[in-house]
Amino acid sequence: MEDIALRLVKAAIRAADPYKAVINSVRVEGNKLLVKDKEFEIKGKVYVLAFGKAACDMARAIEEILDVEDGVAVTKYGYGKELKKIRVIEAGHPIPDENSIRGAIEGLKLLEKVKEEDIVFVLISGGGSALFELPEDGISLEDLKLTNELLLKSGAKIHEINTVRKHISKVKGGKLAKKIKGTGIVLIISDVVGDNLEAIASGPTVKDPTTFQDAKRILELYGIWDRVPESVRSHIEKGIRGEAEETLKEELPNIHNFLIASNSISCQAVVEEATKLGFKAYVMTTTLEGEAKDAGLFIGSIVQEIAKTGNPFEPPVVLVFGGETTVTIEGEGGKGGPNQELALSATRKIKGLNAILVAFDTDGTDGPTDAAGGIVDGETYEKLRRKGIDIEKVLKEHNSYEALKKVGSLLFTGPTGTNVNSMIIAIITSKQGRT
């Protein structure tokens, strides 16, 4: 059954292939540029600014379609690939580093070359918030990093984290779009629940409905307002008083945003692959959120119900869940990621069943680990118990990586070059019984 699960994982990642997504969305006919259902005239030069985990593959596709004058691609360490004319910078993720700032500075320098008759492709994918960053004046990189770390550990949802990021950055929340003089064609691969463009990579090219007041409210809500650096609090308070620039509040006529890949597309690809393999298959949701360990219990409960009663689906069946769960860490925490924690938590519900569950991040990196996620079945719980592993203790300490490693239940894909959120695939082959 594991080989089927891995085949479905590959189908999900294949559907999010950034190179193919661009190739399928952009074509040239004479001096006309066609992007999905919109037509543009090619009058001047073509530039490329790409940032995110899929930056290099997206940029490579544009280089094959058009004659690119110049470009910059900023991607995660280990994700860089050689391009023809586009310079590649590798930077930090999920916490920005010096190269994240260097990438943003180089990107802004590139935009200064773009004239009104030119076209600039802005290629955005998951991880863009951290990889392409330039803090507002007075906020240091260290202050920015500490703020990001506090947000990531707080349990805040990604759109909430991005609300704060937008208001302490010079390139997020539509501020990048303001710097484009020519025609900006923005191709976006979504890594956020619901595919809201203003949330993807903190919305550098779209108008933003959030405010400085929202940013302060979120920091207070998660109890970290008094813990973020003084420079961050000061800038947000200036914004509330109208003394700092707000994010973009209106559409810009020269900027055109296109969504070309998303979690829902990948979830549907898994259903199609499972159907080919003879399974009934269903997308249960593409908007899964909440604490990872709670989501694991919830999904595990659905698997248990099907395996015991055949309700609401008679096995064999494949269930697909997409979204982005979170882990709230108090204190130091152990080693792991949301998908590993979800999979470990689910073992409590699927023990003894003819079922397998794989939870993974489509970028190949679950949290700050080298694993994409976890893959567990009806026997995993007993394997953990025989190793003397206390699952409840491990979940409390957020040390899922080490626990799953000891029973061979980590999933490794390596860097996939894309990111369309996380996915959970559950396969129930027959009614209750040990695998």
Side-chain angles (χ1 to χ4, degrees):
M1 190 157 48
E2 185 172 321
D3 59 331
I4 294 173
L6 294 176
R7 181 166 167 177
L8 297 181
V9 169
K10 289 178 182 177
I13 294 171
R14 190 165 58 243
D17 184 286
Y19 171 82
K20 289 180 181 176
V22 174
I23 292 292
N24 292 337
S25 302
V26 180
R27 71 182 192 276
V28 176
E29 293 181 0
N31 70 333
K32 300 292 183 185
L33 176 65
L34 303 174
V35 182
K36 296 190 88 170
D37 58 353
K38 199 170 183 69
E39 185 178 291
F40 302 89
E41 188 177 356
I42 304 172
K43 295 183 288 186
K45 296 174 180 177
V46 175
Y47 296 87
V48 173
L49 173 57
F51 46 92
K53 296 172 187 174
C56 288
D57 284 331
M58 295 177 79
R60 178 168 63 90
I62 295 297
E63 282 193 324
E64 291 188 10
I65 298 167
L66 291 150
D67 180 18
V68 175
E69 176 71 17
D70 193 8
V72 174
V74 189
T75 195
K76 183 176 178 175
Y77 292 112
Y79 284 53
K81 298 178 182 179
E82 188 174 344
L83 299 169
K84 296 173 187 174
K85 292 184 180 179
I86 299 170
R87 291 161 281 143
V88 178
I89 298 171
E90 293 187 340
H93 180 275
I95 304 300
D97 65 2
E98 291 81 359
N99 274 1
S100 304
I101 292 176
R102 179 185 156 215
I105 291 171
E106 289 294 315
L108 294 178
K109 285 181 180 176
L110 177 78
L111 294 184
E112 290 175 2
K113 299 179 183 180
V114 180
K115 297 179 173 61
E116 285 189 16
E117 67 272 17
D118 298 332
I119 291 173
V120 57
F121 278 91
V122 182
L123 312 176
I124 301 174
S125 55
S129 283
L131 294 167
F132 191 80
E133 181 59 286
L134 190 61
E136 290 283 7
D137 294 339
I139 300 175
S140 68
L141 173 60
E142 288 308 311
D143 289 349
L144 193 76
K145 287 167 73 171
L146 177 56
T147 303
N148 270 285
E149 286 171 358
L150 288 168
L151 283 163
L152 289 168
K153 290 181 178 179
S154 72
K157 297 179 177 65
I158 186 63
H159 70 270
E160 294 173 318
I161 293 172
N162 285 346
T163 294
V164 177
R165 285 170 166 168
K166 291 173 190 178
H167 288 89
I168 59 175
S169 170
K170 289 185 175 182
V171 293
K172 304 187 187 308
K175 295 175 189 174
L176 185 70
K178 294 180 183 181
K179 303 180 189 302
I180 297 175
K181 295 186 290 292
T183 298
I185 298 174
V186 189
L187 306 183
I188 302 169
I189 294 179
S190 173
D191 70 331
V192 301
V193 174
D195 300 332
N196 294 322
L197 298 189
E198 66 266 17
I200 302 167
S202 301
T205 61
V206 297
K207 68 177 184 179
D208 173 47
T210 69
T211 65
F212 279 104
Q213 189 64 59
D214 291 327
K216 182 177 182 180
R217 178 184 55 78
I218 288 163
L219 292 170
E220 289 178 333
L221 177 65
Y222 291 96
I224 57 176
W225 170 253
D226 293 327
R227 296 169 61 195
V228 298
E230 167 60 28
S231 63
V232 171
R233 293 198 302 272
S234 176
H235 183 77
I236 290 173
E237 285 172 337
K238 282 181 183 177
I240 291 171
R241 295 194 302 268
E243 297 170 7
E245 181 190 12
E246 251 293 3
T247 50
L248 180 67
K249 300 305 179 192
E250 71 282 339
E251 300 282 0
L252 298 179
N254 63 318
I255 305 298
H256 309 271
N257 293 285
F258 300 91
L259 182 67
I260 63 169
S262 67
N263 185 268
S264 57
I265 293 171
S266 284
C267 284
Q268 190 56 43
V270 173
V271 167
E272 291 171 6
E273 186 70 17
T275 302
K276 288 178 188 175
L277 294 170
F279 289 88
K280 291 171 292 182
Y282 305 91
V283 175
M284 302 299 286
T285 182
T286 59
T287 59
L288 182 69
E289 292 183 284
E291 283 291 319
K293 62 184 178 183
D294 295 336
L297 281 177
F298 172 67
I299 293 172
S301 295
I302 295 173
V303 171
Q304 187 182 74
E305 182 71 19
I306 291 171
K308 286 186 174 182
T309 71
N311 178 44
F313 307 115
E314 196 72 30
V317 66
V318 172
L319 311 179
V320 188
F321 303 78
E324 193 79 23
T325 60
T326 51
V327 174
T328 303
I329 298 174
E330 295 178 4
E332 200 61 33
K335 184 178 182 181
N339 291 289
Q340 293 161 62
E341 190 154 312
L342 188 154
L344 181 64
S345 180
T347 64
R348 298 176 291 176
K349 286 290 185 179
I350 70 170
K351 58 183 177 182
L353 303 179
N354 286 330
I356 188 167
L357 181 146
V358 54
F360 64 102
D361 198 320
T362 52
D363 71 350
T365 306
D366 182 35
T369 74
D370 58 350
I375 181 166
V376 297
D377 61 23
E379 295 183 347
T380 306
Y381 184 90
E382 276 300 312
K383 288 179 182 177
L384 290 162
R385 192 185 63 79
R386 287 196 296 269
K387 291 279 186 181
I389 296 169
D390 183 336
I391 294 177
E392 300 299 332
K393 185 171 182 286
V394 169
L395 289 170
K396 187 175 181 180
E397 295 174 350
H398 306 293
N399 202 26
S400 53
Y401 182 97
E402 298 300 337
L404 293 173
K405 182 180 180 181
K406 287 179 180 177
V407 293
S409 291
L410 288 172
L411 175 70
F412 296 95
T413 62
T416 64
T418 191
N419 185 19
V420 290
N421 267 346
S422 296
M423 191 175 298
I424 301 93
I425 302 169
I427 307 171
I428 305 101
T429 55
S430 59
K431 286 190 177 178
Q432 187 174 5
R434 188 170 297 280
T435 54

